C-alpha cells in the first residue's frame, strides 16, 4: 500500500469513527444483541418493496429531478399541511435529500460562513458539530439539564451573540428521548425574533411521540419563517438503509440550500422516492407509528423491571435511556464495552454526545426491535 507522503492537517482532529459504527461492529464481533445503533430489526411491509419494483420496472431508473420526484414532494406538502397547518410550495420550498444527515450538512454548508457561531444542545446528535466545523463554523454548546434533558433558555439567551448564525434543535431528541413543549418553542421563537438567526430543526422522530403532540417549528410562524425542517423516511417507514429524507424551508433559504444540494448529491434515488410517495398516501402508516413504538417501549421497560438499570422517562423516539450507576462506577464507554462483551447486549454511551466527554453514567438502548429480541435482551440485562 502506498502512504501519503506528508503529515495531514486534519479538518476534524478530534473526530474518530462514529460511536454507532464502533458499537455495531463490537456487537457483531461478540455476537451480542445490538441495541446500540438505531435501526429496526424487522422488515418494512412487502407492499413498499413491491412499489419500488413497480417503479423500477416502469423505467424510473434515471436521475430524479434535483429537488426530488414531484409526486413525493406533493405527498410531503400534503402531509405537512394536514399535520402542522402550513402549505409548503412543492416547486420552491421542499427538497428530497439523501438522508437527514445530508440535509443537515447541506443546510449548514449553505448558511454558515467561517467564523460564524452555531448553537447546539448537548448531548448532541453526532453529525451536527462536525458539519458545522467542516464548514468553518464554531459550534457553541448549550447543555440540556440532567437528568431530564430540558433546554435552559437563560443559558441559550446568554450564548447568543452577533456572530450566532444558526441554532440546531432536535425534538424528539436523540439520544435522550426528551420532547420539547409548546413553551420551549415559544421561548425559542421569542429569542430569535428580530435576529437573522436560522434554525435547523431535526424532526426525524416527528411521528414517534408518546405524550402530547409533536411541536414542529412549522406550527410557530416566528420559527417557520427562519427554519430548515428536516425529517427522514428511514425512521418512519423502517428503511434506514434507504437514506431518503426531506428538507422544508422558506423559498429564500431553500434557494441557498439547493445551490449546495445540487453539488453534494444532485439528486436522490428515483424508484424509491416514487414508491414512498405512493406508500405514504395511507396516513395510518405514519399516524400509527407512535402506538406501534409505544407498545415496544412499554414492553422493553417491563423487561427492565427487576434489573438494576434505572430507566429515564421516554416521551418520544425509539430510544430508552437508562442510568447504570447502581451497577457500576465505570466510565460509560468502558461499561458498554463490558456489557457487550460479557453480557451480550450492546448500547450507546451518552458521553459520545458531549464534546468534553461528560459522563453522567447514562446509556441508550434502541427498542426498534421485535419482541423476541427485546425479551432476550431483557433477560440478559436483568442478570447484570
Ligand atoms: N438526526 C437524528 C436525530 C437521528 O437520530 C438520525 C439517524 N438516526 C439522523 C439525523 C440521520 O438520519 P438519516 O439516516 O436519514 O441520515
Ligand atoms: N441515528 C442512528 C442512531 O442514533 C444511527 C445513524 C448512524 O449510524 N449514522 O443510532
Amino acid at each position: 500500500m502506498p502512504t501519503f507522503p506528508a503529515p495531514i492537517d486534519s479538518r476534524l482532529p478530534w473526530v474518530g469513527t462514529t460511536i454507532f459504527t464502533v458499537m455495531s461492529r463490537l456487537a457483531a464481533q461478540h455476537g451480542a444483541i445490538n441495541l446500540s445503533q438505531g435501526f429496526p430489526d424487522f422488515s418494512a411491509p412487502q407492499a413498499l418493496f413491491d412499489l419500488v419494483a413497480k417503479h423500477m420496472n416502469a423505467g424510473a431508473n434515471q436521475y430524479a429531478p434535483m429537488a426530488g420526484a414531484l409526486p413525493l414532494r406533493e405527498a410531503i406538502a400534503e402531509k405537512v399541511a394536514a399535520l402542522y397547518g402550513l402549505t409548503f410550495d412543492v416547486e420552491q420550498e421542499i427538497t428530497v435529500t439523501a438522508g437527514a444527515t445530508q440535509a443537515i450538512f447541506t443546510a449548514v454548508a449553505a448558511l454558515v460562513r467561517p467564523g460564524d457561531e452555531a448553537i447546539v444542545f448537548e448531548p448532541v446528535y453526532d453529525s451536527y458539530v462536525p458539519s458545522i466545523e467542516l464548514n468553518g463554523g464554531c459550534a457553541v454548546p448549550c447543555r440540556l439539564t440532567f437528568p431530564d434533558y430540558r433546554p435552559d433558555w437563560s443559558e441559550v439567551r446568554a450564548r447568543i451573540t452577533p456572530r450566532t448564525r444558526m441554532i440546531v434543535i432536535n425534538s424528539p431528541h436523540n439520544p435522550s428521548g426528551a420532547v420539547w413543549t409548546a413553551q420551549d418553542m415559544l421561548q425559542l421563537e421569542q429569542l430569535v425574533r428580530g435576529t437573522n438567526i436560522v434554525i435547523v430543526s431535526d424532526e426525524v422522530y416527528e411521528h414517534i411521540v408518546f405524550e402530547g403532540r409533536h411541536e414542529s417549528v412549522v406550527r410557530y410562524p416566528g420559527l417557520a419563517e427562519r427554519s430548515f425542517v428536516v425529517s427522514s423516511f428511514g425512521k418512519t417507514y423502517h428503511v434506514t438503509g434507504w437514506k431518503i429524507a426531506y428538507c422544508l424551508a422558506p423559498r429564500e433559504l431553500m434557494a441557498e440550500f439547493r445551490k449546495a444540494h445540487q453539488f453534494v448529491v444532485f439528486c436522490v434515488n428515483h424508484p424509491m422516492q416514487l414508491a414512498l410517495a405512493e406508500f405514504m398516501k395511507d396516513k395510518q402508516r405514519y399516524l400509527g407509528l407512535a402506538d406501534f413504538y409505544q407498545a415496544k417501549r412499554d414492553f422493553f421497560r417491563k423487561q427492565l423491571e427487576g434489573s438494576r438499570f434505572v430507566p429515564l422517562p421516554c416521551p418520544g423516539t425509539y430510544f430508552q435511556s437508562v442510568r447504570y450507576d447502581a451497577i457500576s462506577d465505570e466510565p460509560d464507554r468502558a461499561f458498554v464495552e463490558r456489557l457487550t462483551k460479557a453480557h451480550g447486549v450492546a448500547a450507546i454511551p451518552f458521553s459520545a454526545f458531549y464534546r468534553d466527554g461528560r459522563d453522567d453514567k447514562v446509556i441508550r438502548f434502541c427498542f426498534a426491535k421485535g419482541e423476541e429480541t427485546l425479551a432476550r435482551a431483557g433477560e440478559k440485562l436483568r442478570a447484570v
Side-chain angles (χ1 to χ4, degrees), residues 20 38 98-102 104 125 127-128 170 172-174 202 204-205 231-235 240 243-245 318-319 364:
F20 305 119
T101 314
Q102 184 241 312
I104 293 160
Y125 183 66
S127 82
Y128 303 169
N170 169 219
H173 180 246
N174 182 1
D202 179 345
V204 300
Y205 301 104
S231 189
S232 176
F233 294 104
K235 317 289 166 189
T240 62
K243 294 297 290 188
I244 303 181
Y318 50 47
F319 302 117
R364 185 198 88 177

Short mmCIF file of all heavy atoms in Angstrom, two decimals, residues 20 38 98-102 104 125 127-128 170 172-174 202 204-205 231-235 240 243-245 318-319 364, ligand 1:
data_model
loop_
_atom_site.label_atom_id
_atom_site.label_comp_id
_atom_site.label_asym_id
_atom_site.label_seq_id
_atom_site.Cartn_x
_atom_site.Cartn_y
_atom_site.Cartn_z
N PHE A 20 -21.76 4.90 16.53
CA PHE A 20 -22.73 3.93 16.01
C PHE A 20 -22.01 2.79 15.27
O PHE A 20 -22.36 1.62 15.41
CB PHE A 20 -23.75 4.61 15.09
CG PHE A 20 -24.43 5.77 15.76
CD1 PHE A 20 -24.31 7.06 15.25
CD2 PHE A 20 -25.16 5.58 16.91
CE1 PHE A 20 -24.92 8.13 15.88
CE2 PHE A 20 -25.77 6.65 17.55
CZ PHE A 20 -25.65 7.93 17.03
N GLY A 38 -29.31 2.95 16.06
CA GLY A 38 -30.77 2.97 15.95
C GLY A 38 -31.27 2.52 14.58
O GLY A 38 -31.18 3.24 13.61
N ALA A 98 -30.58 12.85 0.54
CA ALA A 98 -30.04 11.51 0.80
C ALA A 98 -29.86 11.34 2.31
O ALA A 98 -28.75 11.35 2.85
CB ALA A 98 -28.72 11.33 0.07
N GLY A 99 -30.97 11.22 3.00
CA GLY A 99 -30.95 11.09 4.46
C GLY A 99 -30.99 12.46 5.12
O GLY A 99 -30.74 13.50 4.50
N ALA A 100 -31.34 12.41 6.43
CA ALA A 100 -31.37 13.64 7.22
C ALA A 100 -29.95 14.17 7.41
O ALA A 100 -29.73 15.38 7.48
CB ALA A 100 -32.02 13.37 8.57
N THR A 101 -28.99 13.28 7.47
CA THR A 101 -27.60 13.69 7.67
C THR A 101 -27.16 14.64 6.56
O THR A 101 -26.54 15.68 6.82
CB THR A 101 -26.68 12.44 7.69
OG1 THR A 101 -27.28 11.45 8.53
CG2 THR A 101 -25.30 12.77 8.18
N GLN A 102 -27.50 14.29 5.33
CA GLN A 102 -27.12 15.15 4.20
C GLN A 102 -27.91 16.47 4.24
O GLN A 102 -27.36 17.53 3.92
CB GLN A 102 -27.35 14.45 2.87
CG GLN A 102 -26.87 15.27 1.67
CD GLN A 102 -27.98 15.62 0.70
OE1 GLN A 102 -28.76 14.75 0.31
NE2 GLN A 102 -28.07 16.86 0.28
N ILE A 104 -28.96 18.07 6.86
CA ILE A 104 -28.41 18.93 7.91
C ILE A 104 -27.06 19.49 7.45
O ILE A 104 -26.81 20.70 7.55
CB ILE A 104 -28.26 18.13 9.23
CG1 ILE A 104 -29.65 17.77 9.77
CG2 ILE A 104 -27.46 18.91 10.26
CD1 ILE A 104 -29.68 16.62 10.75
N TYR A 125 -26.64 15.13 18.82
CA TYR A 125 -26.52 14.09 17.78
C TYR A 125 -25.18 14.28 17.06
O TYR A 125 -24.79 15.40 16.75
CB TYR A 125 -27.69 14.16 16.80
CG TYR A 125 -27.62 13.05 15.78
CD1 TYR A 125 -27.76 11.71 16.18
CD2 TYR A 125 -27.36 13.31 14.45
CE1 TYR A 125 -27.64 10.68 15.26
CE2 TYR A 125 -27.26 12.28 13.53
CZ TYR A 125 -27.40 10.97 13.94
OH TYR A 125 -27.28 9.94 13.04
N SER A 127 -23.63 14.12 14.26
CA SER A 127 -23.22 14.72 12.98
C SER A 127 -23.22 16.25 13.00
O SER A 127 -22.64 16.88 12.12
CB SER A 127 -24.12 14.23 11.84
OG SER A 127 -25.33 14.96 11.77
N TYR A 128 -23.89 16.87 13.99
CA TYR A 128 -24.08 18.32 13.89
C TYR A 128 -22.76 19.10 13.99
O TYR A 128 -22.48 19.98 13.18
CB TYR A 128 -25.01 18.85 14.98
CG TYR A 128 -26.40 18.27 15.07
CD1 TYR A 128 -27.20 18.56 16.17
CD2 TYR A 128 -26.94 17.45 14.07
CE1 TYR A 128 -28.49 18.06 16.29
CE2 TYR A 128 -28.22 16.94 14.20
CZ TYR A 128 -28.99 17.24 15.31
OH TYR A 128 -30.26 16.74 15.44
N ASN A 170 -33.42 19.63 18.06
CA ASN A 170 -33.79 18.25 17.75
C ASN A 170 -34.81 17.76 18.78
O ASN A 170 -34.46 17.47 19.91
CB ASN A 170 -32.52 17.37 17.78
CG ASN A 170 -32.81 15.88 17.73
OD1 ASN A 170 -32.14 15.09 18.41
ND2 ASN A 170 -33.79 15.47 16.97
N PRO A 172 -38.45 15.14 18.74
CA PRO A 172 -37.96 14.32 19.83
C PRO A 172 -36.45 14.10 19.72
O PRO A 172 -35.91 14.01 18.63
CB PRO A 172 -38.72 13.01 19.65
CG PRO A 172 -39.96 13.37 18.92
CD PRO A 172 -39.56 14.49 18.01
N HIS A 173 -35.84 14.01 20.90
CA HIS A 173 -34.39 14.14 20.98
C HIS A 173 -33.66 12.80 21.03
O HIS A 173 -33.97 11.92 21.83
CB HIS A 173 -34.05 14.94 22.25
CG HIS A 173 -32.60 15.16 22.48
ND1 HIS A 173 -31.92 14.62 23.53
CD2 HIS A 173 -31.68 15.86 21.76
CE1 HIS A 173 -30.66 14.98 23.47
NE2 HIS A 173 -30.48 15.74 22.41
N ASN A 174 -32.67 12.69 20.14
CA ASN A 174 -31.73 11.59 20.17
C ASN A 174 -30.45 12.11 20.83
O ASN A 174 -29.91 13.11 20.34
CB ASN A 174 -31.43 11.14 18.73
CG ASN A 174 -30.50 9.96 18.65
OD1 ASN A 174 -30.07 9.43 19.66
ND2 ASN A 174 -30.15 9.58 17.43
N ASP A 202 -34.21 19.39 13.47
CA ASP A 202 -34.12 17.96 13.13
C ASP A 202 -35.32 17.25 13.76
O ASP A 202 -35.37 17.05 14.97
CB ASP A 202 -32.79 17.42 13.68
CG ASP A 202 -32.59 15.93 13.41
OD1 ASP A 202 -33.57 15.26 13.06
OD2 ASP A 202 -31.45 15.46 13.58
N VAL A 204 -36.62 14.18 12.79
CA VAL A 204 -36.71 12.85 12.18
C VAL A 204 -37.62 11.90 12.97
O VAL A 204 -38.14 10.95 12.42
CB VAL A 204 -35.32 12.18 11.94
CG1 VAL A 204 -34.47 13.02 11.02
CG2 VAL A 204 -34.61 11.86 13.22
N TYR A 205 -37.82 12.19 14.27
CA TYR A 205 -38.71 11.32 15.08
C TYR A 205 -40.09 11.97 15.25
O TYR A 205 -40.78 11.72 16.23
CB TYR A 205 -38.06 11.00 16.43
CG TYR A 205 -36.74 10.29 16.26
CD1 TYR A 205 -35.54 10.95 16.44
CD2 TYR A 205 -36.70 8.96 15.85
CE1 TYR A 205 -34.32 10.30 16.25
CE2 TYR A 205 -35.50 8.31 15.64
CZ TYR A 205 -34.31 8.98 15.84
OH TYR A 205 -33.11 8.34 15.63
N SER A 231 -36.86 15.91 8.09
CA SER A 231 -37.44 14.64 8.54
C SER A 231 -36.88 13.52 7.67
O SER A 231 -36.34 13.78 6.60
CB SER A 231 -38.97 14.68 8.48
OG SER A 231 -39.50 13.52 9.12
N SER A 232 -37.01 12.27 8.14
CA SER A 232 -36.37 11.16 7.43
C SER A 232 -37.34 10.00 7.21
O SER A 232 -37.99 9.55 8.16
CB SER A 232 -35.16 10.67 8.24
OG SER A 232 -34.58 9.55 7.60
N PHE A 233 -37.42 9.52 6.00
CA PHE A 233 -38.27 8.36 5.72
C PHE A 233 -37.72 7.10 6.37
O PHE A 233 -38.45 6.15 6.62
CB PHE A 233 -38.40 8.16 4.21
CG PHE A 233 -39.12 9.28 3.53
CD1 PHE A 233 -38.42 10.24 2.81
CD2 PHE A 233 -40.50 9.39 3.63
CE1 PHE A 233 -39.09 11.29 2.19
CE2 PHE A 233 -41.17 10.45 3.02
CZ PHE A 233 -40.46 11.40 2.31
N GLY A 234 -36.42 7.08 6.62
CA GLY A 234 -35.79 5.91 7.24
C GLY A 234 -36.45 5.54 8.55
O GLY A 234 -36.72 4.37 8.83
N LYS A 235 -36.71 6.54 9.39
CA LYS A 235 -37.29 6.30 10.71
C LYS A 235 -38.75 5.92 10.61
O LYS A 235 -39.26 5.09 11.34
CB LYS A 235 -37.22 7.57 11.58
CG LYS A 235 -35.96 8.33 11.51
CD LYS A 235 -34.88 7.58 12.20
CE LYS A 235 -33.54 8.20 11.84
NZ LYS A 235 -32.45 7.41 12.30
N THR A 240 -34.08 2.49 7.24
CA THR A 240 -32.96 3.42 7.48
C THR A 240 -31.88 3.27 6.40
O THR A 240 -31.18 4.23 6.11
CB THR A 240 -32.32 3.19 8.87
OG1 THR A 240 -31.80 1.86 8.92
CG2 THR A 240 -33.32 3.38 9.99
N LYS A 243 -31.75 5.73 3.16
CA LYS A 243 -31.19 7.08 3.24
C LYS A 243 -31.97 8.07 2.36
O LYS A 243 -31.42 8.68 1.44
CB LYS A 243 -29.71 7.06 2.84
CG LYS A 243 -28.82 6.28 3.79
CD LYS A 243 -28.75 6.84 5.19
CE LYS A 243 -28.01 8.15 5.29
NZ LYS A 243 -27.81 8.54 6.72
N ILE A 244 -33.24 8.19 2.64
CA ILE A 244 -34.05 9.20 1.95
C ILE A 244 -34.76 10.05 3.01
O ILE A 244 -35.33 9.51 3.96
CB ILE A 244 -35.08 8.57 1.00
CG1 ILE A 244 -34.38 7.67 -0.02
CG2 ILE A 244 -35.88 9.67 0.27
CD1 ILE A 244 -35.31 7.02 -1.02
N ALA A 245 -34.66 11.35 2.86
CA ALA A 245 -35.24 12.27 3.82
C ALA A 245 -35.70 13.51 3.06
O ALA A 245 -35.64 13.55 1.83
CB ALA A 245 -34.20 12.63 4.88
N TYR A 318 -37.28 6.11 19.42
CA TYR A 318 -37.25 4.68 19.75
C TYR A 318 -36.03 4.32 20.59
O TYR A 318 -35.49 3.23 20.47
CB TYR A 318 -37.46 3.78 18.54
CG TYR A 318 -36.64 4.01 17.28
CD1 TYR A 318 -35.27 4.19 17.29
CD2 TYR A 318 -37.29 3.94 16.03
CE1 TYR A 318 -34.56 4.33 16.10
CE2 TYR A 318 -36.59 4.08 14.84
CZ TYR A 318 -35.22 4.27 14.88
OH TYR A 318 -34.52 4.39 13.72
N PHE A 319 -35.66 5.28 21.47
CA PHE A 319 -34.52 5.05 22.36
C PHE A 319 -34.95 5.11 23.83
O PHE A 319 -35.66 6.04 24.22
CB PHE A 319 -33.44 6.10 22.11
CG PHE A 319 -32.94 6.11 20.70
CD1 PHE A 319 -33.11 7.24 19.89
CD2 PHE A 319 -32.30 5.00 20.17
CE1 PHE A 319 -32.65 7.24 18.58
CE2 PHE A 319 -31.83 5.01 18.85
CZ PHE A 319 -32.02 6.12 18.06
N ARG A 364 -27.88 4.39 26.20
CA ARG A 364 -29.09 4.37 25.38
C ARG A 364 -29.28 3.01 24.75
O ARG A 364 -28.37 2.46 24.15
CB ARG A 364 -28.92 5.44 24.29
CG ARG A 364 -30.12 5.66 23.41
CD ARG A 364 -29.73 6.39 22.12
NE ARG A 364 -29.32 5.44 21.09
CZ ARG A 364 -28.97 5.76 19.85
NH1 ARG A 364 -28.94 7.02 19.49
NH2 ARG A 364 -28.64 4.83 18.98
N1 LIG B 1 -30.86 13.05 13.16
C1 LIG B 1 -31.15 12.24 14.18
C2 LIG B 1 -31.58 12.84 15.48
C3 LIG B 1 -31.05 10.87 14.01
O1 LIG B 1 -31.33 10.06 15.02
C4 LIG B 1 -30.64 10.35 12.77
C5 LIG B 1 -30.49 8.88 12.50
N2 LIG B 1 -30.73 8.04 13.48
C6 LIG B 1 -30.35 11.23 11.75
C7 LIG B 1 -30.46 12.59 11.97
C8 LIG B 1 -29.90 10.76 10.42
O2 LIG B 1 -30.93 10.30 9.64
P1 LIG B 1 -30.65 9.66 8.20
O3 LIG B 1 -30.35 8.24 8.43
O4 LIG B 1 -31.91 9.90 7.45
O5 LIG B 1 -29.48 10.39 7.63
#
